[in-house]
Amino acid sequence: RLDAPLLAKHTTCSAVLREAVCAALVTAGLLSTTGILDLEAATERLRAALAGAALPVGLAEERDAKLEEIVATVRLSRYSNLHSLLRDHLQEEEYLQIVRNKILVDIQGSDILYQIFTANILQRRPGDEAPF
């Protein structure tokens, strides 16, 4: 979820710019009002939406100077909860595949555990336990 606190954690932007970034992405239709970024939003579309936002001169200069760290954080927001759990165990595309496919993930030591079944399987009757 993209919001000002996530931007504060991963960027050096001012509070005013953090709010402006979120507003610009909502206006561009890339971010919902609840902070959910379009999963397929291309980096160039993000840059264009942010660069095209009308900002006061000082704020525009700050945005331009920090644009790449802002874009990186915006992209991270698509899977920030997973990333906080797994850190650098996976590449960006792997994180996105997990999100797209709604796979539950956990980590145990250095092992990554994936839950691929989300419905009851191998049950004779509802309420029976599966044989594993």
Side-chain angles (χ1 to χ4, degrees):
R1 175 169 145 21
L2 181 66
D3 55 15
L6 183 72
L7 286 165
K9 181 177 178 180
H10 294 281
T11 69
T12 57
C13 298
S14 66
V16 175
L17 182 56
R18 292 190 301 262
E19 294 296 334
V21 163
C22 292
L25 293 172
V26 168
T27 300
L30 296 170
L31 185 70
S32 74
T33 55
T34 58
I36 305 302
L37 184 69
D38 177 357
L39 194 58
E40 305 305 327
T43 300
E44 288 309 314
R45 283 186 65 205
L46 297 171
R47 280 192 193 111
L50 295 171
L55 299 173
V57 174
L59 205 54
E61 290 171 357
E62 180 186 3
R63 175 210 48 215
D64 294 344
K66 298 177 180 180
L67 187 61
E68 291 312 309
E69 75 178 272
I70 294 168
V71 169
T73 301
V74 169
R75 292 175 57 82
L76 173 72
S77 74
R78 298 175 297 173
Y79 53 85
S80 59
N81 288 343
L82 280 172
H83 189 267
S84 67
L85 175 68
L86 302 175
R87 299 286 170 200
D88 295 325
H89 282 73
L90 303 173
Q91 299 297 316
E92 179 180 31
E93 188 55 38
E94 292 171 303
Y95 278 114
L96 292 175
Q97 287 176 353
I98 290 168
V99 173
R100 280 185 197 107
N101 292 299
K102 301 175 184 174
I103 296 172
L104 298 176
V105 179
D106 200 0
I107 191 165
Q108 192 172 52
S110 62
D111 296 329
I112 299 173
L113 309 173
Y114 298 97
Q115 180 181 342
I116 58 172
F117 301 112
T118 58
N120 297 333
I121 58 170
L122 296 177
Q123 292 179 322
R124 291 185 187 147
R125 294 180 308 270
D128 286 351
E129 288 190 31
F132 51 86

